[in-house]
Amino acid sequence: MTVILILFVLLLFTGLPLFVNLGLSSFLFMSIKGFNPVIAVQRISMAANSFTLLAAPFFIIMGNIMNKSGVTQRMFKFANILVGNRAGGLGHANILASILFAGMSGTAVADAGGLGTIEIKAMRDAGYDDDFSCAVTAASSVIGPIIPPSLPMVILAVSAEASIGRLFIGGIIPGVIMGLTMMVIVAYYAKKRNYPRLPKPSAREIWVAFKDAFGAILAPIILFAGIFSGIFTPTEAAVVAAFYSLILGLFVYKELKLKDLPEIILSTIETTGVVLALVMTANVFGYVLTVSQVPQKLSMALLSFAHSKFLILLIVNLFLIFIGMFMEGTAAILILTPILIPVMTGAGLDQTHACLIMILNLMIGVVTPPVGVVLYVVANVAKVGFERVTKAILPFLIPLFITLILVTAIPALTTWLPNLLFGKPL
């Protein structure tokens, strides 16, 4: 198994797609051990034949439709009306819009690419410096995968055989904490640099902005209400939300045209195809790790010198932060879930708590250099150097790490709501 893991690491530097690397390493191990190759085919089929995973393409297409149908503009305008009169109002609006838009995009990249274009332009026109605008936009986009729906959570739920509903609900409180702590940083810099603020809005202005954005705001409400009431599962909620966004774009806002649909569908198929290929080969790789008892051996090794649950969590957090700096989040989830989730649950953690610790760490990685994919997206949107964005994001990592520490130390932040709505797991 050691040889296979070394081969896997070496193949990472060859430029091969990750799913090819996972597949080759797994097949080689099974060949050496004399396993029937039919087992690999069965594992691939089992991974693809997942009702939970079916949510992924529908959340992806919903986000694509929302970006094309004018939802982002309405969300940002409504957020700006609500908090624009505070010091650094557009910075606060940027964060609030990300919290609202999180209920539709589900990924940090979609948030940064969709809302980011509007937010950075608005902040630049209002006199905010580019570095601050890019940092706020990049940092707030991390909220997208934490507050449901979340594509990384869907993938993690499939990999860990966890409840997607519990993960979705468990992410709400950490996402809100993340947004509030970011607003503290924004307020500090706004006062220090004397950033502008809007006049206090009238009740009529708030009502007009709310009415204009109401259809978009209703999307996550429908999604949550359906899940909470038991009318539909999270996977079925993804289908309902996708059709709702289509109706919203075509018939309510009327900014989505039929000619836009082929492009949206192709983009969704492309993204889903990449995710599905990774999930299928990662399932085989996970099987190889399980057969080799890697999670059990790692857990025993950790427990042999780390006698405290908090020490184990410290080691896991530091490892995930390091991995997140270099590896894309989805790939890291698929590779590390079969190893680390059993380690954390074996140390006594609730599965939902363990999964959300993992998600938080890896999503912080998308705004952490040197391979912070969201930093590249924001730098491209703003047409500024990557180095400037990297330097500017550093203060905004503080609220992200504060949230991670709180979530790690206080399990109730991730388990209280799921237990309240679904009952305690057996």
Side-chain angles (χ1 to χ4, degrees):
M1 188 62 208
T2 303
V3 175
I4 302 303
L5 289 175
I6 293 171
L7 174 65
F8 171 75
V9 173
L10 291 175
L11 286 174
L12 286 175
F13 297 97
T14 63
L16 283 172
L18 182 60
F19 73 89
V20 175
N21 186 349
L22 289 167
L24 281 176
S25 303
S26 303
F27 280 118
L28 181 59
F29 173 86
M30 296 175 79
S31 300
I32 293 172
K33 289 290 186 178
F35 282 34
N36 190 329
V38 173
I39 295 175
V41 177
Q42 288 175 337
R43 301 298 303 187
I44 288 173
S45 300
M46 286 169 57
N49 187 26
S50 167
F51 181 70
T52 302
L53 190 60
L54 194 61
F58 287 102
F59 281 135
I60 292 168
I61 198 169
M62 179 180 70
N64 288 338
I65 291 171
M66 291 289 189
N67 271 328
K68 278 277 188 181
S69 58
V71 168
T72 50
Q73 294 92 327
R74 288 171 172 83
M75 281 290 190
F76 184 65
K77 182 180 177 182
F78 177 57
N80 199 23
I81 286 289
L82 287 180
V83 296
N85 64 312
R86 300 179 181 276
L90 279 173
H92 294 298
N94 192 322
I95 295 166
L96 180 58
S98 290
I99 291 173
L100 296 172
F101 193 64
M104 282 148 282
S105 66
T107 65
V109 172
D111 195 335
L115 273 171
T117 306
I118 301 161
E119 292 167 339
I120 291 172
K121 182 181 184 304
M123 294 180 77
R124 182 179 282 162
D125 292 345
Y128 290 75
D129 61 85
D130 284 348
D131 292 8
F132 179 79
S133 304
C134 290
V136 176
T137 302
S140 66
S141 70
V142 177
I143 299 171
I146 307 302
I147 295 180
S150 164
L151 182 58
M153 282 187 191
V154 172
I155 296 167
L156 181 55
V158 172
S159 302
E161 297 182 357
S163 165
I164 186 174
R166 296 185 71 88
L167 291 189
F168 274 10
I169 305 307
I172 293 175
I173 293 177
V176 172
I177 293 172
M178 196 178 288
L180 292 175
T181 50
M182 281 184 203
M183 287 181 174
V184 174
I185 298 290
V186 168
Y188 168 77
Y189 277 102
K191 291 177 181 177
K192 184 179 178 180
R193 300 178 183 178
N194 197 29
Y195 285 137
R197 63 172 77 187
L198 291 176
K200 187 175 181 179
S202 66
R204 174 173 173 75
E205 287 175 321
I206 295 174
W207 169 247
V208 170
F210 172 74
K211 190 169 63 173
D212 195 33
F214 179 72
I217 295 170
L218 200 59
I221 294 174
I222 292 172
L223 191 148
F224 292 144
I227 295 173
F228 293 165
S229 63
I231 295 174
F232 38 70
T233 66
T235 302
E236 292 164 345
V239 179
V240 172
F243 277 105
Y244 175 78
S245 63
L246 185 64
I247 293 168
L248 198 65
L250 288 174
F251 304 112
V252 179
Y253 294 148
K254 299 180 180 179
E255 293 187 23
L256 182 69
K257 308 300 179 186
L258 288 175
K259 65 180 181 181
D260 296 325
L261 293 181
E263 180 187 345
I264 289 172
I265 292 169
L266 285 173
S267 175
T268 302
I269 291 171
E270 181 181 347
T271 306
T272 304
V274 172
V275 170
L276 191 59
L278 281 169
V279 169
M280 290 189 296
T281 50
N283 188 276
V284 183
F285 191 73
Y287 171 76
V288 166
L289 292 174
T290 303
V291 168
S292 305
Q293 294 190 321
V294 171
Q296 294 90 328
K297 290 174 183 176
L298 180 61
S299 182
M300 289 175 63
L302 275 174
L303 290 170
S304 66
F305 73 89
H307 302 290
S308 164
K309 179 171 69 174
F310 289 103
L311 183 56
I312 292 173
L313 287 175
L314 176 63
I315 294 169
V316 169
N317 276 325
L318 291 174
F319 175 71
L320 285 170
I321 288 167
F322 176 76
I323 291 295
M325 291 170 64
F326 298 95
M327 187 178 288
E328 193 272 328
T330 301
I333 287 169
L334 291 167
I335 294 169
L336 298 175
T337 294
I339 300 173
L340 295 183
I341 296 299
V343 169
M344 288 191 278
T345 53
L349 265 71
D350 178 272
Q351 189 184 46
T352 301
H353 184 206
C355 287
L356 282 163
I357 287 174
M358 189 168 185
I359 287 281
L360 275 168
N361 272 292
L362 295 176
M363 292 307 103
I364 290 172
V366 303
V367 291
T368 307
V371 192
V373 62
V374 167
L375 300 182
Y376 285 98
V377 171
V378 170
N380 183 60
V381 167
K383 301 292 187 292
V384 300
F386 176 74
E387 296 77 12
R388 286 178 62 187
V389 180
T390 300
K391 184 179 179 181
I393 194 68
L394 296 179
F396 284 91
L397 294 179
I398 296 171
L400 298 180
F401 283 117
I402 287 173
T403 305
L404 176 61
I405 291 168
L406 289 173
V407 166
T408 302
I410 310 173
L413 294 177
T414 58
T415 59
W416 177 70
L417 268 180
N419 289 344
L420 182 67
L421 293 168
F422 301 112
K424 289 187 178 182
L426 298 175

